[in-house]
């Protein structure tokens, strides 16, 4: 579950993957006759023996012999005979790159699954994160591969383009989908179709240093947040000048970024310009920073140089280790036009379209287990992850993680597709120009929207 954001803090999908995958798909199509399925299957480990075994029946004693009255009786006329469905049985293969605490959590989840379905074995194969996408896509194109894949949302556009993941519409109980965070589910839709089930998610929220809070309370709005920082430098704000880290502010000031078709709409109204003006005011305030140097911001917040820092759960272990009980996490305060709506992205489980219908049904049983409330509780307690299932026990496990879960109430699914590649590039330039006052703010917004739409052909 090693997400790119946790490693680089810049959630920027690699555009190089698309070129690599396109070339790879052509090569695979020419080599299908090489019958590489046996090679893929031989790389998988032997199935683990089920942990739960049926209890052995005790031999009956003479006094236990059933009297005639206990013999099976005929079914009364007009009453249907009960039909008991056989217990699911078979074997499921799962590929993943979860290691360390994530791997420990996965082992516990699979143990629970084995106890629930003792006649199903699960074969797992660990594949290094950097190799997982290529290995999986190559195996599927050759007609093999695992039944299930655990992978981040970053690769979804490429996987759907290659036809390497199975659509899941109408394949899952409605109540199960309803138990998941809506933004996490929406993050796994392409063209309106659902292609995965979210296991965990990430987003940004407001870290704060309790010892530096003015009056000991959190600001009620973004205007209050800025006003406090202007009155007292120790109540300053640290904002990473990256499109993902500040996307929440556009909605708070009444601006959209994209419409449903992926068309940039930043220039519709003055909301985007108002938010960029607010960012510039924060950056001009003594003790506050809107900067592209993430390491500098993190270090200053750890040293207690400002009270507020917007970041994600990937920074939680480091910040908690330094600030201890002084650290808090809360939802971002609302803006003049509504709530702050950060982008949310998910790790997920995907079904192999090459698997037979019977194998897909077995795989979906495990997918439901991996995204259920018990699994979510394990992921929180064992790996410190934000579970996609809202019924998972998180409040008592980690109140700081619970702060991020509160933020998920207003989160939006992070878009994915060609228009996002353009936004990572031109959105960052837009923020930089606004902070430096290179030109009038509204003209920066109009220019940025035009560049994004021109790049994507909108």
């Amino acid at each position: 579950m090693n997400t790119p954001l946790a490693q680089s803090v810049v959630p920027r999908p690699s555009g190089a993957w698309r070129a690599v995958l396109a070339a790879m798909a052509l090569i695979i199509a020419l080599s299908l006759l090489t019958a590489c399925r046996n090679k893929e299957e031989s790389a998988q480990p032997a199935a683990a023996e089920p942990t739960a075994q049926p209890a052995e029946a005790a031999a009956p004693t003479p006094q236990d012999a059933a009297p005639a009255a206990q013999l099976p009786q005929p079914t009364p006329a007009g009453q249907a005979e009960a039909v008991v469905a056989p217990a699911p049985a078979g074997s499921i293969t799962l590929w993943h790159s979860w290691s360390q605490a994530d791997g420990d959590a996965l082992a516990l989840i699979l143990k629970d699954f084995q106890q629930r379905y003792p006649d199903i074995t699960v074969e797992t194969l660990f594949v290094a994160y950097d190799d997982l996408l290529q290995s999986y896509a190559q195996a599927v194109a050759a007609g093999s591969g695992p039944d299930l894949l655990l992978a981040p949302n970053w690769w979804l556009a490429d996987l759907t383009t290659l036809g390497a993941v199975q659509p899941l519409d109408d394949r899952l109980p409605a109540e199960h989908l309803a138990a998941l965070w809506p933004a996490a589910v929406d993050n796994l839709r392409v063209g309106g179709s659902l292609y995965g089930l979210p296991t965990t998610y990430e987003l940004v929220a407001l870290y704060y240093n309790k010892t530096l809070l003015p009056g000991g309370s959190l600001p009620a709005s973004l205007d209050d947040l800025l006003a406090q920082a202007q009155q007292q430098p120790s109540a300053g704000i640290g904002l990473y000048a990256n499109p993902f880290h500040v996307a929440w502010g556009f909605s708070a000031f009444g601006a959209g970024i994209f419409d449903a078709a992926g068309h940039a709409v930043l220039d519709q109204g003055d909301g985007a310009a108002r938010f960029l003006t607010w960012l510039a005011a924060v950056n001009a305030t003594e003790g506050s920073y809107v900067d592209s140097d993430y390491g500098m911001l993190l270090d200053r917040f750890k040293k207690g140089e400002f009270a507020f820092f917007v970041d994600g759960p990937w920074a939680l272990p480091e910040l908690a280790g330094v600030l201890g009980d002084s650290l808090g996490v809360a939802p971002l305060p609302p803006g003049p036009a509504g709530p702050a709506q950060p982008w949310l992205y998910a790790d997920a489980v995907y079904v192999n379209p090459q698997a037979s219908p019977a194998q897909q049904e077995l795989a979906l049983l495990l997918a439901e287990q991996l995204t259920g409330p018990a699994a979510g509780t394990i992921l929180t307690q064992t790996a410190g992850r934000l579970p996609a299932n809202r019924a998972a026990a998180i409040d008592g496990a980690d109140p700081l993680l619970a702060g991020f879960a509160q933020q998920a109430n207003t989160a939006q699914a992070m878009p994915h597709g060609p228009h996002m590649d353009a936004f990572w590039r031109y959105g960052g330039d837009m923020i930089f120009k606004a902070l430096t006052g290179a030109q009038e703010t509204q003209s920066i917004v109009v220019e940025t929207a035009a560049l994004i739409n021109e790049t994507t052909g909108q």
Side-chain angles (χ1 to χ4, degrees):
M1 198 190 310
N2 300 321
T3 58
L5 189 57
Q7 298 169 358
S8 65
V9 305
V10 182
R12 184 168 183 168
S14 174
W17 267 116
R18 268 175 283 282
V20 172
L21 287 170
M24 180 185 68
L26 178 59
I27 294 171
I28 291 167
L30 295 174
S31 61
L32 285 176
L33 296 179
T34 60
C36 64
R37 182 167 186 165
N38 290 338
K39 180 178 179 180
E40 290 289 345
E41 292 176 348
S42 64
Q44 300 177 9
E49 291 296 326
T51 56
Q53 299 294 336
E56 184 175 345
T61 60
Q63 59 267 32
D64 292 329
Q70 294 179 342
L71 294 175
Q73 300 298 309
T75 302
Q79 181 176 332
E81 187 172 341
V83 178
V84 179
S91 178
I92 305 169
T93 56
L94 170 70
W95 286 9
H96 67 95
S97 60
W98 291 14
S99 60
Q100 299 179 350
D102 296 327
D104 294 340
L106 178 59
L108 291 173
I109 295 169
L110 294 180
K111 181 179 179 181
D112 283 354
F113 181 78
Q114 189 76 82
Q115 293 174 345
R116 184 176 181 183
Y117 299 104
D119 295 326
I120 301 177
T121 59
V122 179
E123 302 175 5
T124 63
L125 180 66
F126 175 86
V127 182
Y129 179 82
D130 291 340
D131 299 327
L132 183 59
L133 173 59
Q134 181 174 351
S135 298
Y136 174 76
Q138 192 171 19
V140 173
S144 62
D147 301 306
L148 286 176
L149 171 72
L150 280 172
N153 155 270
W154 301 114
W155 303 335
L156 183 55
D158 295 323
L159 290 171
T160 54
T161 298
L162 291 172
V165 284
Q166 175 70 30
L168 300 179
D169 300 286
D170 303 322
R171 299 288 301 274
L172 298 156
E175 59 270 19
H176 185 81
L177 290 177
L180 305 173
W181 283 108
V185 175
D186 290 343
N187 185 232
L188 297 165
R189 297 186 189 276
V190 176
S193 293
L194 180 65
Y195 285 93
L197 279 181
T199 54
T200 61
Y201 67 91
E202 295 193 343
L203 77 176
V204 299
L206 186 68
Y207 283 104
Y208 60 94
N209 188 326
K210 298 175 184 177
T211 63
L212 300 176
L213 285 183
S217 60
L218 291 167
S221 69
L222 290 175
D223 286 341
D224 289 344
L225 181 65
L226 175 58
Q228 289 178 358
Q230 291 171 334
Q231 294 168 7
Q232 186 176 331
S234 63
I237 312 159
L239 295 173
Y240 182 34
N242 168 275
F244 178 83
H245 278 69
V246 301
W248 51 269
F250 292 99
S251 59
F253 282 83
I257 300 176
F258 296 108
D259 63 16
H263 184 86
V265 294
L266 287 161
D267 56 340
Q268 296 183 10
D270 65 351
R274 291 166 60 204
F275 175 51
L276 292 175
T277 299
W278 184 87
L279 288 177
V282 171
N283 194 47
T285 299
E286 181 184 356
S288 295
Y289 306 86
V290 183
D291 202 281
S292 59
D293 188 341
Y294 175 83
M296 178 273 290
L297 294 168
L298 188 69
D299 187 60
R300 286 181 181 273
F301 183 67
K302 289 191 295 184
K303 291 178 178 178
E305 294 187 21
F306 47 78
F308 302 99
F309 181 47
V310 177
D311 205 14
W314 48 86
L316 188 52
E318 183 174 355
L319 293 176
V322 174
L323 297 176
D325 293 339
S326 297
L327 183 66
V329 177
L332 288 150
Q341 294 183 285
W343 275 342
L344 178 154
Y345 68 95
D347 274 19
V349 57
Y350 307 93
V351 176
N352 185 345
Q354 295 288 359
S356 68
Q359 279 301 114
Q360 289 188 14
E361 289 302 316
L362 286 178
L364 286 171
L365 289 177
L366 180 53
E368 288 186 50
Q369 182 87 11
L370 287 163
T371 58
T377 301
I378 291 172
L379 285 164
T380 296
Q381 296 176 347
T382 304
R385 295 288 181 174
L386 287 165
N389 195 297
R390 291 181 286 179
I394 185 172
D395 290 347
D398 192 329
L400 297 175
L401 277 180
F404 286 103
Q406 293 172 21
Q407 183 70 78
N409 281 300
T410 64
Q412 300 182 83
M414 186 178 75
H416 42 77
H419 54 294
M420 282 300 292
D421 288 340
F423 182 71
W424 296 132
R425 175 181 177 184
Y426 296 115
D429 292 343
M430 175 181 67
I431 296 168
F432 176 78
K433 290 176 182 178
L435 294 178
T436 57
Q439 62 192 87
E440 190 270 329
T441 308
Q442 183 63 25
S443 67
I444 296 173
V445 173
V446 171
E447 178 185 66
T448 300
L451 287 170
I452 293 173
N453 290 331
E454 180 182 347
T455 300
T456 58
Q458 295 280 353

